Amino acid sequence: DQQVKQNSPSLSVQEGRISILNCDYTNSMFDYFLWYKKYPAEGPTFLISISSIKDKNEDGRFTVFLNKSAKHLSLHIVPSQPGDSAVYFCAASDGNRDDKIIFGKGTRLHILP
Amino acid sequence: GAGVSQTPSNKVTEKGKYVELRCDPISGHTALYWYRQSLGQGPEFLIYFQGTGAADDSGLPNDRFFAVRPEGSVSTLKIQRTERGDSAVYLCASSSWGQGTNTGELFFGEGSRLTVL
């Protein structure tokens, strides 16, 4: 039972354009959401997070949007750069229960020259 | 070291053998997580420690899997009677979550790739 779903296994975007990665979740108790980036043969690295009390968080080229009513979040990368080619994982936790973080299956982003 | 260190980086073993995977977290981090990642999948939660105690071990697939963190620092994931289905990359992460910060940032090691023949 996937509580965090990333329905697009891969995405290709032209360099300089906007990349939009989507994530849906089923557990309404999740109150904290994170995005991680992973290169081959490396562990995932933290990108950006958002608390459920917000609907947007921005950090440089990366913006995360949260729509609680739709149980949906998205990561926007603009402008996309070649180094952004990686696998992106959406993750969520229920901070009122414990600090277990549940990950989605990931979306592989290809930035095209 | 500065980051999370996992050893061995690669382990090949035969079905039925016992395996230990070690994780050395970032100094001072009280939270430590074990995840398992199979090909094409996201990290699958196994167990989470806060200090020496397992705060949540609901992800351990069965009683062949066990993890310890006796002094609240280094952790060992132990797998008994390994099966071919245990083949995966085992990721360890540490965090300062619960120590007054709430970024939720997990710092991952590079993982231990386990292959069971």
Side-chain angles (χ1 to χ4, degrees):
Chain A
D1 168 28
Q2 276 270 308
Q3 297 187 66
V4 178
K5 300 179 183 180
Q6 293 178 258
N7 292 320
S8 298
S10 67
L11 175 68
S12 295
V13 174
Q14 208 77 33
E15 182 179 355
R17 301 285 187 118
I18 182 170
S19 295
I20 300 176
L21 296 105
N22 293 302
C23 177
D24 297 292
Y25 60 95
T26 58
N27 187 344
S28 58
M29 300 305 292
F30 284 149
D31 61 357
Y32 199 75
F33 304 88
L34 311 96
W35 284 93
Y36 281 78
K37 175 179 178 179
K38 185 181 184 304
Y39 292 120
E42 294 183 9
T45 55
F46 173 78
L47 257 185
I48 192 168
S49 63
I50 188 167
S51 163
S52 61
I53 63 173
K54 295 185 174 182
D55 55 19
K56 176 183 174 181
N57 189 26
E58 189 172 352
D59 183 2
R61 296 185 300 113
F62 302 92
T63 303
V64 55
F65 295 92
L66 175 62
N67 182 335
K68 282 198 305 181
S69 61
K71 295 194 183 68
H72 177 84
L73 63 155
S74 60
L75 174 68
H76 292 211
I77 306 172
V78 55
S80 300
Q81 298 176 354
D84 297 331
S85 293
V87 177
Y88 290 78
F89 293 104
C90 173
S93 76
D94 172 5
N96 293 315
R97 180 176 175 273
D98 63 21
D99 296 325
K100 178 169 73 178
I101 297 179
I102 305 297
F103 284 78
K105 291 187 176 183
T107 296
R108 183 177 297 279
L109 177 64
H110 301 270
I111 303 302
L112 306 170
Chain B
V4 176
S5 175
Q6 291 189 246
T7 55
S9 55
N10 271 289
K11 176 71 178 177
V12 180
T13 191
E14 292 180 344
K15 181 174 177 297
K17 299 287 189 181
Y18 170 79
V19 164
E20 287 190 354
L21 306 175
R22 175 189 165 108
C23 174
D24 200 341
I26 291 173
S27 178
H29 279 184
T30 60
L32 185 147
Y33 299 75
W34 283 100
Y35 286 85
R36 175 169 71 175
Q37 186 173 17
S38 302
L39 198 62
Q41 303 294 314
E44 173 194 3
F45 173 80
L46 295 177
I47 185 170
Y48 150 60
F49 288 89
Q50 189 59 260
T52 60
D56 188 331
D57 64 357
S58 61
L60 294 177
N62 51 59
D63 61 6
R64 296 187 297 105
F65 287 76
F66 190 70
V68 295
R69 196 185 184 199
E71 296 177 1
S73 178
V74 171
S75 176
T76 304
L77 178 66
K78 307 181 180 193
I79 311 173
Q80 297 178 319
R81 304 183 304 280
T82 52
E83 299 177 357
R84 292 193 181 88
D86 299 335
S87 297
V89 175
Y90 288 82
L91 293 164
C92 176
S94 71
S95 170
S96 59
W97 204 346
Q99 295 171 250
T101 65
N102 195 29
T103 66
E105 180 174 358
L106 301 184
F107 294 84
F108 281 88
E110 293 187 349
S112 292
R113 180 177 296 277
L114 175 65
T115 303
V116 182
L117 301 176

mmCIF file of all heavy atoms in Angstrom, chain B residues 5-51:
data_model
loop_
_atom_site.group_PDB
_atom_site.id
_atom_site.type_symbol
_atom_site.label_atom_id
_atom_site.label_comp_id
_atom_site.label_asym_id
_atom_site.label_seq_id
_atom_site.Cartn_x
_atom_site.Cartn_y
_atom_site.Cartn_z
ATOM 1 N N SER B 5 28.680 7.121 7.298
ATOM 2 C CA SER B 5 29.560 6.121 6.711
ATOM 3 C C SER B 5 28.927 4.739 6.832
ATOM 4 O O SER B 5 28.470 4.355 7.920
ATOM 5 C CB SER B 5 30.916 6.148 7.435
ATOM 6 O OG SER B 5 31.745 5.116 6.962
ATOM 7 N N GLN B 6 28.899 3.999 5.737
ATOM 8 C CA GLN B 6 28.338 2.657 5.759
ATOM 9 C C GLN B 6 29.372 1.659 5.258
ATOM 10 O O GLN B 6 30.042 1.902 4.256
ATOM 11 C CB GLN B 6 27.093 2.568 4.862
ATOM 12 C CG GLN B 6 25.915 3.342 5.387
ATOM 13 C CD GLN B 6 24.656 3.056 4.589
ATOM 14 O OE1 GLN B 6 24.126 3.933 3.921
ATOM 15 N NE2 GLN B 6 24.182 1.812 4.667
ATOM 16 N N THR B 7 29.465 0.540 5.966
ATOM 17 C CA THR B 7 30.349 -0.537 5.541
ATOM 18 C C THR B 7 29.654 -1.887 5.697
ATOM 19 O O THR B 7 28.824 -2.048 6.606
ATOM 20 C CB THR B 7 31.652 -0.553 6.379
ATOM 21 O OG1 THR B 7 31.307 -0.621 7.773
ATOM 22 C CG2 THR B 7 32.491 0.677 6.095
ATOM 23 N N PRO B 8 29.946 -2.843 4.811
ATOM 24 C CA PRO B 8 30.751 -2.679 3.600
ATOM 25 C C PRO B 8 29.956 -1.960 2.521
ATOM 26 O O PRO B 8 28.735 -1.872 2.598
ATOM 27 C CB PRO B 8 31.012 -4.132 3.196
ATOM 28 C CG PRO B 8 29.797 -4.874 3.656
ATOM 29 C CD PRO B 8 29.380 -4.210 4.943
ATOM 30 N N SER B 9 30.625 -1.473 1.504
ATOM 31 C CA SER B 9 29.900 -0.826 0.405
ATOM 32 C C SER B 9 29.249 -1.882 -0.478
ATOM 33 O O SER B 9 28.201 -1.638 -1.084
ATOM 34 C CB SER B 9 30.823 0.075 -0.408
ATOM 35 O OG SER B 9 31.945 -0.654 -0.855
ATOM 36 N N ASN B 10 29.883 -3.043 -0.542
ATOM 37 C CA ASN B 10 29.342 -4.159 -1.316
ATOM 38 C C ASN B 10 29.520 -5.443 -0.528
ATOM 39 O O ASN B 10 30.576 -5.664 0.057
ATOM 40 C CB ASN B 10 30.092 -4.321 -2.645
ATOM 41 C CG ASN B 10 29.482 -3.486 -3.737
ATOM 42 O OD1 ASN B 10 28.408 -3.767 -4.222
ATOM 43 N ND2 ASN B 10 30.173 -2.421 -4.085
ATOM 44 N N LYS B 11 28.471 -6.278 -0.544
ATOM 45 C CA LYS B 11 28.567 -7.564 0.129
ATOM 46 C C LYS B 11 27.868 -8.608 -0.738
ATOM 47 O O LYS B 11 26.697 -8.454 -1.073
ATOM 48 C CB LYS B 11 27.900 -7.485 1.506
ATOM 49 C CG LYS B 11 27.844 -8.803 2.269
ATOM 50 C CD LYS B 11 29.192 -9.232 2.758
ATOM 51 C CE LYS B 11 29.102 -10.515 3.563
ATOM 52 N NZ LYS B 11 30.448 -10.975 3.998
ATOM 53 N N VAL B 12 28.618 -9.647 -1.089
ATOM 54 C CA VAL B 12 28.032 -10.770 -1.817
ATOM 55 C C VAL B 12 28.056 -11.961 -0.875
ATOM 56 O O VAL B 12 29.102 -12.284 -0.296
ATOM 57 C CB VAL B 12 28.820 -11.083 -3.101
ATOM 58 C CG1 VAL B 12 28.179 -12.264 -3.833
ATOM 59 C CG2 VAL B 12 28.873 -9.861 -4.008
ATOM 60 N N THR B 13 26.926 -12.618 -0.725
ATOM 61 C CA THR B 13 26.845 -13.744 0.185
ATOM 62 C C THR B 13 25.981 -14.832 -0.430
ATOM 63 O O THR B 13 25.316 -14.633 -1.446
ATOM 64 C CB THR B 13 26.274 -13.302 1.542
ATOM 65 O OG1 THR B 13 26.434 -14.354 2.501
ATOM 66 C CG2 THR B 13 24.785 -12.974 1.438
ATOM 67 N N GLU B 14 26.017 -15.980 0.188
ATOM 68 C CA GLU B 14 25.208 -17.089 -0.295
ATOM 69 C C GLU B 14 23.914 -17.197 0.501
ATOM 70 O O GLU B 14 23.862 -16.844 1.692
ATOM 71 C CB GLU B 14 26.000 -18.390 -0.169
ATOM 72 C CG GLU B 14 27.189 -18.453 -1.111
ATOM 73 C CD GLU B 14 27.962 -19.750 -0.958
ATOM 74 O OE1 GLU B 14 27.760 -20.453 0.064
ATOM 75 O OE2 GLU B 14 28.773 -20.062 -1.839
ATOM 76 N N LYS B 15 22.924 -17.683 -0.143
ATOM 77 C CA LYS B 15 21.630 -17.916 0.503
ATOM 78 C C LYS B 15 21.824 -18.711 1.782
ATOM 79 O O LYS B 15 22.565 -19.688 1.822
ATOM 80 C CB LYS B 15 20.730 -18.669 -0.478
ATOM 81 C CG LYS B 15 19.326 -18.992 0.005
ATOM 82 C CD LYS B 15 18.535 -19.611 -1.139
ATOM 83 C CE LYS B 15 17.151 -20.031 -0.707
ATOM 84 N NZ LYS B 15 17.105 -21.063 0.314
ATOM 85 N N GLY B 16 21.174 -18.238 2.845
ATOM 86 C CA GLY B 16 21.251 -18.929 4.120
ATOM 87 C C GLY B 16 22.293 -18.386 5.076
ATOM 88 O O GLY B 16 22.294 -18.717 6.265
ATOM 89 N N LYS B 17 23.187 -17.539 4.586
ATOM 90 C CA LYS B 17 24.247 -16.998 5.437
ATOM 91 C C LYS B 17 23.735 -15.810 6.267
ATOM 92 O O LYS B 17 22.697 -15.226 5.989
ATOM 93 C CB LYS B 17 25.432 -16.541 4.582
ATOM 94 C CG LYS B 17 26.078 -17.643 3.773
ATOM 95 C CD LYS B 17 26.882 -18.560 4.641
ATOM 96 C CE LYS B 17 27.696 -19.523 3.784
ATOM 97 N NZ LYS B 17 28.481 -20.472 4.607
ATOM 98 N N TYR B 18 24.572 -15.441 7.246
ATOM 99 C CA TYR B 18 24.278 -14.310 8.130
ATOM 100 C C TYR B 18 25.098 -13.102 7.676
ATOM 101 O O TYR B 18 26.253 -13.237 7.298
ATOM 102 C CB TYR B 18 24.653 -14.716 9.559
ATOM 103 C CG TYR B 18 24.654 -13.605 10.573
ATOM 104 C CD1 TYR B 18 23.472 -13.138 11.129
ATOM 105 C CD2 TYR B 18 25.857 -13.033 11.002
ATOM 106 C CE1 TYR B 18 23.476 -12.139 12.087
ATOM 107 C CE2 TYR B 18 25.871 -12.033 11.950
ATOM 108 C CZ TYR B 18 24.682 -11.590 12.491
ATOM 109 O OH TYR B 18 24.687 -10.586 13.435
ATOM 110 N N VAL B 19 24.471 -11.935 7.721
ATOM 111 C CA VAL B 19 25.130 -10.712 7.252
ATOM 112 C C VAL B 19 24.947 -9.589 8.268
ATOM 113 O O VAL B 19 23.869 -9.459 8.883
ATOM 114 C CB VAL B 19 24.516 -10.274 5.900
ATOM 115 C CG1 VAL B 19 24.868 -8.846 5.559
ATOM 116 C CG2 VAL B 19 24.976 -11.182 4.771
ATOM 117 N N GLU B 20 25.978 -8.789 8.443
ATOM 118 C CA GLU B 20 25.904 -7.579 9.263
ATOM 119 C C GLU B 20 26.296 -6.388 8.414
ATOM 120 O O GLU B 20 27.326 -6.413 7.725
ATOM 121 C CB GLU B 20 26.841 -7.670 10.464
ATOM 122 C CG GLU B 20 26.379 -8.610 11.545
ATOM 123 C CD GLU B 20 27.206 -8.477 12.823
ATOM 124 O OE1 GLU B 20 28.206 -7.737 12.828
ATOM 125 O OE2 GLU B 20 26.839 -9.132 13.818
ATOM 126 N N LEU B 21 25.509 -5.332 8.490
ATOM 127 C CA LEU B 21 25.804 -4.085 7.794
ATOM 128 C C LEU B 21 25.916 -2.988 8.853
ATOM 129 O O LEU B 21 25.075 -2.876 9.740
ATOM 130 C CB LEU B 21 24.678 -3.748 6.802
ATOM 131 C CG LEU B 21 24.327 -4.851 5.801
ATOM 132 C CD1 LEU B 21 23.119 -4.442 4.961
ATOM 133 C CD2 LEU B 21 25.516 -5.156 4.897
ATOM 134 N N ARG B 22 26.952 -2.181 8.705
ATOM 135 C CA ARG B 22 27.256 -1.196 9.748
ATOM 136 C C ARG B 22 27.003 0.213 9.258
ATOM 137 O O ARG B 22 27.240 0.536 8.094
ATOM 138 C CB ARG B 22 28.716 -1.350 10.162
ATOM 139 C CG ARG B 22 29.223 -0.320 11.160
ATOM 140 C CD ARG B 22 30.732 -0.418 11.328
ATOM 141 N NE ARG B 22 31.283 0.754 11.980
ATOM 142 C CZ ARG B 22 31.746 0.781 13.220
ATOM 143 N NH1 ARG B 22 31.730 -0.326 13.959
ATOM 144 N NH2 ARG B 22 32.237 1.883 13.743
ATOM 145 N N CYS B 23 26.533 1.054 10.180
ATOM 146 C CA CYS B 23 26.305 2.461 9.875
ATOM 147 C C CYS B 23 26.907 3.334 10.972
ATOM 148 O O CYS B 23 26.606 3.144 12.151
ATOM 149 C CB CYS B 23 24.810 2.750 9.766
ATOM 150 S SG CYS B 23 24.418 4.509 9.562
ATOM 151 N N ASP B 24 27.719 4.294 10.562
ATOM 152 C CA ASP B 24 28.322 5.253 11.483
ATOM 153 C C ASP B 24 27.702 6.623 11.168
ATOM 154 O O ASP B 24 28.014 7.205 10.124
ATOM 155 C CB ASP B 24 29.833 5.272 11.280
ATOM 156 C CG ASP B 24 30.570 5.833 12.465
ATOM 157 O OD1 ASP B 24 29.935 6.530 13.285
ATOM 158 O OD2 ASP B 24 31.782 5.590 12.585
ATOM 159 N N PRO B 25 26.818 7.120 12.014
ATOM 160 C CA PRO B 25 26.093 8.346 11.662
ATOM 161 C C PRO B 25 26.942 9.596 11.872
ATOM 162 O O PRO B 25 28.068 9.524 12.384
ATOM 163 C CB PRO B 25 24.920 8.327 12.640
ATOM 164 C CG PRO B 25 25.494 7.664 13.867
ATOM 165 C CD PRO B 25 26.437 6.606 13.330
ATOM 166 N N ILE B 26 26.376 10.717 11.509
ATOM 167 C CA ILE B 26 27.028 11.997 11.767
ATOM 168 C C ILE B 26 27.074 12.215 13.283
ATOM 169 O O ILE B 26 26.079 11.990 13.987
ATOM 170 C CB ILE B 26 26.276 13.135 11.069
ATOM 171 C CG1 ILE B 26 26.442 13.007 9.549
ATOM 172 C CG2 ILE B 26 26.757 14.499 11.543
ATOM 173 C CD1 ILE B 26 25.610 13.958 8.733
ATOM 174 N N SER B 27 28.247 12.639 13.746
ATOM 175 C CA SER B 27 28.444 12.824 15.181
ATOM 176 C C SER B 27 27.403 13.782 15.758
ATOM 177 O O SER B 27 27.163 14.867 15.215
ATOM 178 C CB SER B 27 29.848 13.381 15.416
ATOM 179 O OG SER B 27 30.052 13.625 16.782
ATOM 180 N N GLY B 28 26.766 13.345 16.845
ATOM 181 C CA GLY B 28 25.783 14.193 17.509
ATOM 182 C C GLY B 28 24.349 13.971 17.066
ATOM 183 O O GLY B 28 23.412 14.418 17.729
ATOM 184 N N HIS B 29 24.157 13.280 15.947
ATOM 185 C CA HIS B 29 22.790 13.001 15.499
ATOM 186 C C HIS B 29 22.204 11.868 16.346
ATOM 187 O O HIS B 29 22.767 10.781 16.423
ATOM 188 C CB HIS B 29 22.781 12.589 14.025
ATOM 189 C CG HIS B 29 22.848 13.738 13.095
ATOM 190 N ND1 HIS B 29 22.779 13.594 11.734
ATOM 191 C CD2 HIS B 29 22.966 15.077 13.329
ATOM 192 C CE1 HIS B 29 22.843 14.784 11.158
ATOM 193 N NE2 HIS B 29 22.966 15.696 12.108
ATOM 194 N N THR B 30 21.053 12.123 16.949
ATOM 195 C CA THR B 30 20.451 11.092 17.782
ATOM 196 C C THR B 30 19.499 10.190 17.003
ATOM 197 O O THR B 30 19.228 9.080 17.415
ATOM 198 C CB THR B 30 19.678 11.731 18.954
ATOM 199 O OG1 THR B 30 18.648 12.577 18.433
ATOM 200 C CG2 THR B 30 20.605 12.541 19.846
ATOM 201 N N ALA B 31 19.003 10.674 15.872
ATOM 202 C CA ALA B 31 18.079 9.870 15.081
ATOM 203 C C ALA B 31 18.839 9.117 14.003
ATOM 204 O O ALA B 31 19.685 9.693 13.312
ATOM 205 C CB ALA B 31 17.010 10.753 14.445
ATOM 206 N N LEU B 32 18.545 7.824 13.853
ATOM 207 C CA LEU B 32 19.206 7.002 12.842
ATOM 208 C C LEU B 32 18.162 6.115 12.187
ATOM 209 O O LEU B 32 17.320 5.512 12.870
ATOM 210 C CB LEU B 32 20.314 6.152 13.481
ATOM 211 C CG LEU B 32 21.174 5.314 12.518
ATOM 212 C CD1 LEU B 32 22.609 5.201 13.027
ATOM 213 C CD2 LEU B 32 20.587 3.948 12.243
ATOM 214 N N TYR B 33 18.200 6.054 10.870
ATOM 215 C CA TYR B 33 17.209 5.325 10.082
ATOM 216 C C TYR B 33 17.898 4.279 9.202
ATOM 217 O O TYR B 33 18.981 4.520 8.666
ATOM 218 C CB TYR B 33 16.477 6.275 9.131
ATOM 219 C CG TYR B 33 15.693 7.390 9.778
ATOM 220 C CD1 TYR B 33 16.331 8.496 10.333
ATOM 221 C CD2 TYR B 33 14.303 7.361 9.793
ATOM 222 C CE1 TYR B 33 15.611 9.534 10.907
ATOM 223 C CE2 TYR B 33 13.562 8.398 10.356
ATOM 224 C CZ TYR B 33 14.225 9.473 10.913
ATOM 225 O OH TYR B 33 13.501 10.501 11.467
ATOM 226 N N TRP B 34 17.223 3.161 9.023
ATOM 227 C CA TRP B 34 17.618 2.181 8.012
ATOM 228 C C TRP B 34 16.503 2.089 6.968
ATOM 229 O O TRP B 34 15.318 1.989 7.310
ATOM 230 C CB TRP B 34 17.841 0.808 8.627
ATOM 231 C CG TRP B 34 19.137 0.638 9.364
ATOM 232 C CD1 TRP B 34 19.354 0.695 10.706
ATOM 233 C CD2 TRP B 34 20.419 0.348 8.780
ATOM 234 N NE1 TRP B 34 20.677 0.468 11.000
ATOM 235 C CE2 TRP B 34 21.351 0.244 9.832
ATOM 236 C CE3 TRP B 34 20.879 0.158 7.466
ATOM 237 C CZ2 TRP B 34 22.704 -0.031 9.633
ATOM 238 C CZ3 TRP B 34 22.216 -0.118 7.273
ATOM 239 C CH2 TRP B 34 23.120 -0.205 8.330
ATOM 240 N N TYR B 35 16.919 2.118 5.703
ATOM 241 C CA TYR B 35 16.011 1.934 4.582
ATOM 242 C C TYR B 35 16.595 0.856 3.667
ATOM 243 O O TYR B 35 17.800 0.607 3.673
ATOM 244 C CB TYR B 35 15.858 3.233 3.767
ATOM 245 C CG TYR B 35 15.016 4.294 4.420
ATOM 246 C CD1 TYR B 35 15.568 5.180 5.334
ATOM 247 C CD2 TYR B 35 13.658 4.421 4.123
ATOM 248 C CE1 TYR B 35 14.797 6.160 5.943
ATOM 249 C CE2 TYR B 35 12.878 5.402 4.727
ATOM 250 C CZ TYR B 35 13.457 6.263 5.634
ATOM 251 O OH TYR B 35 12.689 7.236 6.227
ATOM 252 N N ARG B 36 15.727 0.276 2.866
ATOM 253 C CA ARG B 36 16.158 -0.695 1.856
ATOM 254 C C ARG B 36 15.631 -0.201 0.515
ATOM 255 O O ARG B 36 14.454 0.175 0.391
ATOM 256 C CB ARG B 36 15.576 -2.069 2.178
ATOM 257 C CG ARG B 36 15.847 -3.133 1.162
ATOM 258 C CD ARG B 36 15.466 -4.502 1.663
ATOM 259 N NE ARG B 36 14.038 -4.715 1.760
ATOM 260 C CZ ARG B 36 13.496 -5.891 2.080
ATOM 261 N NH1 ARG B 36 14.277 -6.932 2.338
ATOM 262 N NH2 ARG B 36 12.178 -6.019 2.150
ATOM 263 N N GLN B 37 16.503 -0.193 -0.492
ATOM 264 C CA GLN B 37 16.085 0.249 -1.811
ATOM 265 C C GLN B 37 16.356 -0.838 -2.837
ATOM 266 O O GLN B 37 17.512 -1.199 -3.074
ATOM 267 C CB GLN B 37 16.789 1.538 -2.218
ATOM 268 C CG GLN B 37 16.258 2.107 -3.524
ATOM 269 C CD GLN B 37 16.818 3.455 -3.860
ATOM 270 O OE1 GLN B 37 17.828 3.886 -3.309
ATOM 271 N NE2 GLN B 37 16.175 4.161 -4.772
ATOM 272 N N SER B 38 15.287 -1.344 -3.435
ATOM 273 C CA SER B 38 15.408 -2.309 -4.522
ATOM 274 C C SER B 38 15.389 -1.559 -5.840
ATOM 275 O O SER B 38 14.978 -0.399 -5.912
ATOM 276 C CB SER B 38 14.260 -3.322 -4.460
ATOM 277 O OG SER B 38 14.256 -3.978 -3.216
ATOM 278 N N LEU B 39 15.797 -2.243 -6.894
ATOM 279 C CA LEU B 39 15.913 -1.609 -8.206
ATOM 280 C C LEU B 39 14.571 -1.024 -8.653
ATOM 281 O O LEU B 39 13.552 -1.705 -8.627
ATOM 282 C CB LEU B 39 16.401 -2.651 -9.224
ATOM 283 C CG LEU B 39 16.975 -2.111 -10.522
ATOM 284 C CD1 LEU B 39 18.211 -1.269 -10.230
ATOM 285 C CD2 LEU B 39 17.315 -3.249 -11.467
ATOM 286 N N GLY B 40 14.597 0.259 -9.028
ATOM 287 C CA GLY B 40 13.387 0.893 -9.532
ATOM 288 C C GLY B 40 12.390 1.310 -8.468
ATOM 289 O O GLY B 40 11.291 1.767 -8.792
ATOM 290 N N GLN B 41 12.774 1.165 -7.216
ATOM 291 C CA GLN B 41 11.879 1.511 -6.110
ATOM 292 C C GLN B 41 12.477 2.651 -5.296
ATOM 293 O O GLN B 41 13.661 2.949 -5.374
ATOM 294 C CB GLN B 41 11.661 0.308 -5.195
ATOM 295 C CG GLN B 41 11.118 -0.914 -5.896
ATOM 296 C CD GLN B 41 9.724 -0.708 -6.415
ATOM 297 O OE1 GLN B 41 8.864 -0.186 -5.710
ATOM 298 N NE2 GLN B 41 9.491 -1.069 -7.664
ATOM 299 N N GLY B 42 11.620 3.268 -4.492
ATOM 300 C CA GLY B 42 12.111 4.263 -3.557
ATOM 301 C C GLY B 42 12.628 3.605 -2.301
ATOM 302 O O GLY B 42 12.440 2.401 -2.096
ATOM 303 N N PRO B 43 13.312 4.360 -1.445
ATOM 304 C CA PRO B 43 13.756 3.803 -0.173
ATOM 305 C C PRO B 43 12.567 3.304 0.653
ATOM 306 O O PRO B 43 11.602 4.028 0.856
ATOM 307 C CB PRO B 43 14.449 4.988 0.500
ATOM 308 C CG PRO B 43 14.855 5.890 -0.621
ATOM 309 C CD PRO B 43 13.763 5.753 -1.638
ATOM 310 N N GLU B 44 12.667 2.072 1.110
ATOM 311 C CA GLU B 44 11.601 1.445 1.902
ATOM 312 C C GLU B 44 12.021 1.467 3.368
ATOM 313 O O GLU B 44 13.075 0.929 3.728
ATOM 314 C CB GLU B 44 11.414 0.006 1.422
ATOM 315 C CG GLU B 44 10.457 -0.840 2.247
ATOM 316 C CD GLU B 44 10.582 -2.325 1.914
ATOM 317 O OE1 GLU B 44 11.449 -2.691 1.096
ATOM 318 O OE2 GLU B 44 9.835 -3.120 2.506
ATOM 319 N N PHE B 45 11.219 2.080 4.210
ATOM 320 C CA PHE B 45 11.547 2.218 5.628
ATOM 321 C C PHE B 45 11.661 0.858 6.303
ATOM 322 O O PHE B 45 10.821 -0.021 6.127
ATOM 323 C CB PHE B 45 10.458 3.042 6.322
ATOM 324 C CG PHE B 45 10.594 3.105 7.820
ATOM 325 C CD1 PHE B 45 11.494 3.976 8.410
ATOM 326 C CD2 PHE B 45 9.842 2.279 8.635
ATOM 327 C CE1 PHE B 45 11.630 4.029 9.785
ATOM 328 C CE2 PHE B 45 9.961 2.323 10.016
ATOM 329 C CZ PHE B 45 10.862 3.208 10.591
ATOM 330 N N LEU B 46 12.707 0.683 7.102
ATOM 331 C CA LEU B 46 12.883 -0.530 7.886
ATOM 332 C C LEU B 46 12.721 -0.242 9.377
ATOM 333 O O LEU B 46 11.870 -0.814 10.050
ATOM 334 C CB LEU B 46 14.268 -1.136 7.633
ATOM 335 C CG LEU B 46 14.544 -1.640 6.208
ATOM 336 C CD1 LEU B 46 15.977 -2.152 6.101
ATOM 337 C CD2 LEU B 46 13.561 -2.722 5.804
ATOM 338 N N ILE B 47 13.579 0.646 9.908
ATOM 339 C CA ILE B 47 13.593 0.887 11.344
ATOM 340 C C ILE B 47 14.183 2.251 11.616
ATOM 341 O O ILE B 47 14.985 2.753 10.829
ATOM 342 C CB ILE B 47 14.390 -0.226 12.073
ATOM 343 C CG1 ILE B 47 14.333 -0.080 13.596
ATOM 344 C CG2 ILE B 47 15.847 -0.240 11.589
ATOM 345 C CD1 ILE B 47 14.907 -1.295 14.344
ATOM 346 N N TYR B 48 13.773 2.839 12.736
ATOM 347 C CA TYR B 48 14.237 4.165 13.112
ATOM 348 C C TYR B 48 14.586 4.148 14.602
ATOM 349 O O TYR B 48 13.817 3.658 15.421
ATOM 350 C CB TYR B 48 13.127 5.157 12.769
ATOM 351 C CG TYR B 48 13.003 6.389 13.620
ATOM 352 C CD1 TYR B 48 14.042 7.303 13.724
ATOM 353 C CD2 TYR B 48 11.820 6.662 14.293
ATOM 354 C CE1 TYR B 48 13.908 8.447 14.487
ATOM 355 C CE2 TYR B 48 11.677 7.806 15.046
ATOM 356 C CZ TYR B 48 12.725 8.701 15.140
ATOM 357 O OH TYR B 48 12.580 9.830 15.894
ATOM 358 N N PHE B 49 15.781 4.661 14.914
ATOM 359 C CA PHE B 49 16.247 4.772 16.295
ATOM 360 C C PHE B 49 16.240 6.232 16.725
ATOM 361 O O PHE B 49 16.620 7.111 15.965
ATOM 362 C CB PHE B 49 17.691 4.267 16.424
ATOM 363 C CG PHE B 49 17.854 2.787 16.306
ATOM 364 C CD1 PHE B 49 18.061 2.200 15.055
ATOM 365 C CD2 PHE B 49 17.821 1.968 17.419
ATOM 366 C CE1 PHE B 49 18.220 0.836 14.926
ATOM 367 C CE2 PHE B 49 17.985 0.594 17.308
ATOM 368 C CZ PHE B 49 18.191 0.028 16.058
ATOM 369 N N GLN B 50 15.842 6.453 17.951
ATOM 370 C CA GLN B 50 16.066 7.744 18.590
ATOM 371 C C GLN B 50 16.933 7.419 19.801
ATOM 372 O O GLN B 50 16.464 6.839 20.781
ATOM 373 C CB GLN B 50 14.733 8.396 18.986
ATOM 374 C CG GLN B 50 14.834 9.829 19.462
ATOM 375 C CD GLN B 50 15.431 10.799 18.467
ATOM 376 O OE1 GLN B 50 16.606 11.148 18.554
ATOM 377 N NE2 GLN B 50 14.632 11.264 17.516
ATOM 378 N N GLY B 51 18.201 7.768 19.716
ATOM 379 C CA GLY B 51 19.141 7.337 20.749
ATOM 380 C C GLY B 51 19.426 5.848 20.611
ATOM 381 O O GLY B 51 19.655 5.345 19.518
#
